[in-house]
Amino acid sequence: MKPTERRVGYGTAIGYGVTDLFGGGAFAVIGTWLLFFYTMYCGLTVLEAGSIFAIARVIDAVLSPIMGYITDHFGNTWLGKRFGRRRFFLLLSSPLMFLYALVWIKDMGYWYYLGTYLSIELLSAMVLVPWETLAAEMTNRFGERTRLAGVRMICSQLGGFLAVSVPGVIMMFTGKDNPMTYTYTGMFFATVFCIAVFTTWLCTWEAKDVRDPDEPEPEMETGGNLWHHLKRLVLDFISSFNIRMFRQHIIIYIASFTAMDVFGAVFTYYVVYGLNQDVGAVSGYLSVAAFVSVPSTVFYMMVMERLNLSPSAALRIAYGCIFIVLAVLFYIYITRTSVPLILFTSIFVILGFGRSGLYYIPWNIYSFIPDVDEIVTKKRREGIFAGVMVFTRKSTVAIAIMIVGLVLEECGFVKGQGAQPVSALHAIIGLMIFATGALLAISFYMTFKFKLTRDTHKILIKETARLKLGGAQEDCDETARKVIKDLTGYEYNEVWGGSATRKTTREKLAIE
């Protein structure tokens, strides 16, 4: 791809980023309200509701990586050549977004809720996996990728804000205990998601659209039967973890996002049963955090771009804010302290500031992983990394909710009751404070091992470009050698056709 062909302005960035209204909003609504909706209005026990998420994980364990593999190879088909190997799936998925509204209908039975939730899992894989690859395909400029990541996360935070605020607004008209609140919420978001995905299809492009006419088409693997492709898929999935930076990134990503999933799943119960406030207060508190997250994402984007703050340092700031919030919420519950509303609201301002960094920075990092992989494999594998990322994201939110359901069920939680036993209250606090804090501590520790910065990325890109032009490996300086070792986990002489390349691209594993 020639980076001078097309530039990514803020208009394009917005057109690209609005799909994260779906990526952020759909699962924010699910994480905040779905378990509560299932247990309060759909006649499901906590264990039954948790099993729906567990079954979805089994399906998704195969679905997202397959989707990533398909998009990497879809360009060989007639549809892929006509509509794009990535963007075709956005066009297809846009009208299907109205399936989201079917999730939020009461009293339909266990199998109905299982089927509708699985349909959303399939739809999200069709949208998010190919969409995640577009930032790396549209540009290789650090600043433009940071812009794309920043705008998409602003849209994600806006989606999160809508996820917690829209139900509260609808409650003003339907009443706080009316299940139709959630049905109308589902209809609203389905419409928003449909428009957003179609907008992204209109505003984005793929690497093939900016390739020099004299540049040869990239070599694509086209042969083989179904078993051949399945083996390649599995090996691609496994080989993605050969990259040190990706392994570190996944640990940070899974631990920190799962921490917020656990927090979100239990927070409603904390407010309703721990603080004895109504469910409308949940929407109000989380709306404050979500509203603050939007300008806070701009802050993180600016300090990383203008002040050259490393992703690791920015993440530690975000984690520190959330640790403060957890400590204060625990203190309020233990001491039964009556906190003035304005002071209690300020806690969620801090939460919003910290959470915005926690969400934005890992997704900003993601767009640079294919660059690190390329110097090892000599290939561009955006699709497989997107598949792994979407798989882990959807897995964390569902597994977190499932575990929450199992723990609450074991500790005596009784669905539909206005009060809960002490054991259930202790479980709520333990999950929200200590489980969340422990997961964040894992991520905090990993930031000290993570070496990607603007400077190390520049060195990596420069060395990759030099090798592509036929430069000799023995001419690489010591600084670049060290950077490549830190990012890839391999010695310099093992990459770019060396033993690491053969290992990662399966050249030692003949596929018959």
Side-chain angles (χ1 to χ4, degrees):
M1 179 174 67
K2 295 181 66 178
T4 56
E5 294 291 338
R6 299 180 74 168
R7 301 301 296 259
V8 177
Y10 277 102
T12 300
I14 292 171
Y16 163 79
V18 291
T19 287
D20 223 11
L21 290 171
F22 172 65
F27 290 102
V29 175
I30 287 172
T32 304
W33 302 107
L34 191 56
L35 181 63
F36 187 79
F37 176 73
Y38 278 165
T39 56
M40 295 299 292
Y41 301 114
C42 301
L44 302 183
T45 67
V46 176
L47 190 58
E48 287 174 331
S51 71
I52 291 176
F53 302 113
I55 293 169
R57 293 290 56 75
V58 175
I59 302 297
D60 191 54
V62 178
L63 188 60
S64 290
I66 286 178
M67 197 67 221
Y69 181 85
I70 289 173
T71 63
D72 276 345
H73 297 82
F74 194 69
N76 297 309
T77 68
W78 179 84
L79 287 173
K81 292 175 181 177
R82 175 67 178 83
F83 296 101
R85 61 175 181 164
R86 319 289 191 188
R87 295 171 65 246
F88 167 77
F89 296 99
L90 301 180
L91 181 63
L92 178 65
S93 299
S94 176
L96 297 177
M97 286 294 161
F98 288 98
L99 291 171
Y100 192 76
L102 301 180
V103 174
W104 305 92
I105 298 177
K106 68 168 185 172
D107 297 331
M108 296 298 291
Y110 175 83
W111 294 107
Y112 173 86
Y113 295 117
L114 176 62
T116 52
Y117 189 81
L118 289 179
S119 72
I120 298 306
E121 290 289 345
L122 173 61
L123 185 60
S124 63
M126 288 177 59
V127 173
L128 298 181
V129 172
W131 174 71
E132 295 290 355
T133 69
L134 290 177
E137 290 221 8
M138 291 168 67
T139 179
N140 61 12
R141 297 181 180 91
F142 188 96
E144 290 183 354
R145 285 190 189 171
T146 299
R147 181 178 302 160
L148 287 168
V151 172
R152 65 160 284 185
M153 288 311 302
I154 290 172
C155 292
S156 179
Q157 301 291 2
L158 179 59
F161 171 71
L162 294 175
V164 296
S165 61
V166 167
V169 173
I170 295 176
M171 284 177 192
M172 296 172 60
F173 299 95
T174 60
K176 294 178 181 178
D177 298 318
N178 190 340
M180 288 302 296
T181 296
Y182 303 95
T183 305
Y184 295 143
T185 297
M187 295 170 61
F188 171 83
F189 279 105
T191 304
V192 170
F193 298 156
C194 174
I195 295 171
V197 173
F198 185 73
T199 300
T200 297
W201 177 80
L202 286 175
C203 296
T204 56
W205 60 85
E206 299 181 19
K208 70 178 182 63
D209 299 323
V210 293
R211 185 177 294 113
D212 191 309
D214 298 326
E215 182 181 346
E217 290 287 330
E219 294 184 8
M220 301 289 291
E221 300 174 274
T222 58
N225 55 26
L226 177 60
W227 175 244
H228 172 88
H229 285 287
L230 287 174
K231 287 180 68 176
R232 283 162 50 188
L233 167 63
V234 172
L235 292 169
D236 268 349
F237 183 94
I238 295 171
S239 70
S240 67
F241 293 95
N242 289 336
I243 307 301
R244 173 186 288 173
M245 175 181 156
F246 188 59
R247 293 196 302 270
Q248 295 170 340
H249 174 63
I250 283 292
I251 293 173
I252 292 172
Y253 175 67
I254 289 177
S256 57
F257 274 58
T258 303
M260 299 315 299
D261 292 335
V262 172
F263 181 91
V266 182
F267 181 73
T268 301
Y269 297 122
Y270 169 81
V271 173
V272 173
Y273 300 115
L275 302 184
N276 296 317
Q277 299 184 29
D278 62 55
V279 71
V282 177
S283 179
Y285 295 142
L286 294 182
S287 294
V288 171
F291 180 79
V292 171
S293 294
V294 176
S296 297
T297 300
V298 178
F299 168 81
Y300 283 105
M301 182 171 60
M302 292 301 178
V303 297
M304 290 179 65
E305 184 174 354
R306 304 286 176 83
L307 302 181
N308 201 23
L309 187 69
S310 72
S312 295
L315 276 171
R316 289 193 286 270
I317 293 172
Y319 296 150
C321 292
I322 300 173
F323 283 136
I324 291 171
V325 171
L326 295 178
V328 172
L329 292 178
F330 181 63
Y331 177 80
I332 290 172
Y333 174 78
I334 290 296
T335 62
R336 300 295 177 178
T337 302
S338 179
V339 180
L341 180 61
I342 188 169
L343 182 58
F344 198 64
T345 302
S346 67
I347 297 171
F348 296 92
V349 173
I350 298 172
L351 175 64
F353 180 79
R355 193 172 63 178
S356 64
L358 181 149
Y359 287 150
Y360 163 62
I361 298 165
W363 279 113
N364 181 41
I365 292 169
Y366 157 74
S367 64
F368 301 103
I369 291 172
D371 297 335
V372 179
D373 180 68
E374 184 178 17
I375 203 166
V376 176
T377 65
K378 303 176 70 173
K379 295 182 179 181
R380 298 295 301 186
R381 302 194 301 167
E382 290 91 347
I384 197 64
F385 286 106
V388 175
M389 289 288 289
V390 173
F391 161 62
T392 55
R393 174 67 190 115
K394 291 191 295 184
S395 296
T396 57
V397 65
I399 290 173
I401 296 173
M402 181 190 70
I403 292 175
V404 167
L406 290 172
V407 172
L408 292 180
E409 182 95 357
E410 185 66 23
C411 293
F413 182 87
V414 183
K415 65 175 184 177
Q417 294 295 316
Q420 296 295 332
V422 174
S423 59
L425 292 176
H426 287 172
I428 291 169
I429 297 302
L431 288 166
M432 193 183 80
I433 304 299
F434 297 106
T436 300
L439 289 167
L440 289 178
I442 294 172
S443 294
F444 188 87
Y445 169 76
M446 287 303 302
T447 61
F448 291 97
K449 295 181 174 293
F450 196 75
K451 302 299 182 182
L452 178 73
T453 65
R454 177 193 293 268
D455 294 334
T456 58
H457 180 258
K458 284 182 178 178
I459 292 171
L460 173 74
I461 292 295
K462 182 179 179 180
E463 179 60 18
T464 303
R466 189 184 71 83
L467 292 171
K468 284 181 177 180
L469 293 173
Q473 287 187 277
E474 56 267 23
D475 293 337
C476 180
D477 60 53
E478 289 301 319
T479 300
R481 289 173 182 270
K482 184 178 186 305
V483 166
I484 290 169
K485 171 68 180 298
D486 288 341
L487 295 178
T488 67
Y490 295 108
E491 297 292 345
Y492 181 81
N493 59 7
E494 296 180 284
V495 304
W496 200 256
S499 59
T501 304
R502 293 190 295 272
K503 174 184 176 182
T504 307
T505 57
R506 310 175 311 278
E507 290 179 17
K508 287 185 178 180
L509 296 169
I511 300 174
E512 299 179 358

